[in-house]
Structure formats: structure tokens, C-alpha cells
Amino acid sequence: MKSQRHQSIIVLLSLAITMFCTSPGFTIRNSTHLYREGTKLALSGNIESAIEKFKESIARNPYYSMGHYGLGKAYLHRPGKIKDAVRHLQKAVQLDSKNARAHFYLGIAYLLDKKMIKAIHAFDDAYRKDAALIESIYNIAAVYDMMGYDSKAFLYFELFLQKKEKTERDILF
């Protein structure tokens, strides 16, 4: 008798939860939803609120690469947060190694952290994963230029100009 009553209570609670969760006013705020909110805030210039949304996203799911990606990018806009940007962008590429943009921004973070060789490798990874990211080639050239490797910088600047010209030509025809 007690078991039957217990089962009835469970069924009623399940039904109530289902009705509440499917009501129009209820929104499940999962990691992806929070990441998208953070992205909208960042694009509108509200970086501090975006950082909070990205942190919430990661708190919900520490293995969500886009949460780390968003937080890393947002930290690039805050003085004194470069190490945090590097850490979160490293985590983003660790969790999703195919995310070319995460590799690209990791390169930016390394560059700002004066880790030139790591920056070159990150930009190279970005370009290898997405050949449309020709900015990666330009950044490799710029890093070599900053390091004083003029011949390497020249080669990468030339490669960038070739890719840029091809991209522009492909757009026209």
C-alpha cells in the first residue's frame, strides 16, 4: 500500500515538473544559452556582463569549449587578464581542437603575453583548420617581424598578400 502511494506521488510530481518546464514562461538556461547571451552582451560592448554569462556557462558545464572560448576572448579586452585569457583559450582548444577561431584568439593571447613562438604555432593551427582565416598568416608575419626575422616575415607577408588577392578575386568571380 505504501509503495503504491509512493509511486502515485512520484507520478504526480513528474507530471507537475513536466507541466512547469514546458510552460511558455520557463526557459532552460543551459551552457549554450548562457554562451549566446554572453556573446550578445559582448557584441553590444558590455564586456563585464558578458564575462559573468560566460562564467555561468562554464559553471553549468566545465567541458563546454565555447564557454571557455567566450570567456577567453572577453578577457582579452580587460587589462591584467591576459593570463586568464590564455588559460581559457587553451582549455577551449583542448576541448575542441577543430575550433579554428579559438586557436586564432589563443594566438592573440600568446602575442599579448609576449609568447611569440606559441603565438606563431597557434596562428598556424588556426590557418590549418580554416584556410579562410588568412589573418592568421598576416599575424605570423607580424610576429616574425617583431622578433626581427625579416626574411620569414617577408615570406609570410607575401603569402598573405597572395591569399588575400585570391580571396578577393574569388569574391568577384
Side-chain angles (χ1 to χ4, degrees), residues 10-22:
I10 290 174
V11 168
L12 287 173
L13 281 174
S14 296
L15 188 61
I17 290 170
T18 302
M19 289 175 59
F20 174 74
C21 290
T22 57

Side-chain angles (χ1 to χ4, degrees), residues 31-32 35 54 57-58 61-73 87-103:
S31 295
T32 302
Y35 167 77
F54 295 135
S57 175
I58 293 168
N61 182 358
Y63 303 103
Y64 182 52
S65 69
M66 294 305 289
H68 290 282
Y69 168 73
L71 186 55
K73 274 184 65 176
R87 184 168 43 91
H88 284 284
L89 290 163
Q90 284 174 331
K91 187 69 172 178
V93 300
Q94 176 190 358
L95 292 169
D96 181 5
S97 64
K98 294 178 183 176
N99 185 341
R101 294 205 175 272
H103 286 279

Side-chain angles (χ1 to χ4, degrees), residues 107 110-111 114-125 128 135-160:
Y110 282 141
L111 180 59
K114 298 183 181 23
K115 306 260 194 269
M116 302 305 194
I117 300 300
K118 287 184 176 188
I120 289 169
H121 289 294
F123 290 131
D124 186 55
D125 287 342
R128 288 179 191 276
E135 298 87 355
S136 298
I137 297 170
Y138 180 88
N139 287 346
I140 291 171
V143 173
Y144 277 131
D145 187 48
M146 286 183 238
M147 293 171 65
Y149 294 116
D150 297 338
S151 59
K152 283 190 176 191
F154 180 78
L155 288 172
Y156 277 94
F157 279 128
E158 282 292 315
L159 179 60
F160 168 74

Side-chain angles (χ1 to χ4, degrees), residues 22-69:
T22 57
S23 69
F26 182 80
T27 307
I28 297 174
R29 298 182 69 208
N30 62 20
S31 295
T32 302
H33 182 81
L34 291 164
Y35 167 77
R36 288 182 183 144
E37 285 181 4
T39 299
K40 286 178 187 172
L41 289 164
L43 289 171
S44 73
N46 192 344
I47 301 297
E48 291 306 318
S49 295
I51 286 171
E52 292 309 311
K53 290 296 177 188
F54 295 135
K55 284 180 178 179
E56 282 183 59
S57 175
I58 293 168
R60 292 272 167 100
N61 182 358
Y63 303 103
Y64 182 52
S65 69
M66 294 305 289
H68 290 282
Y69 168 73

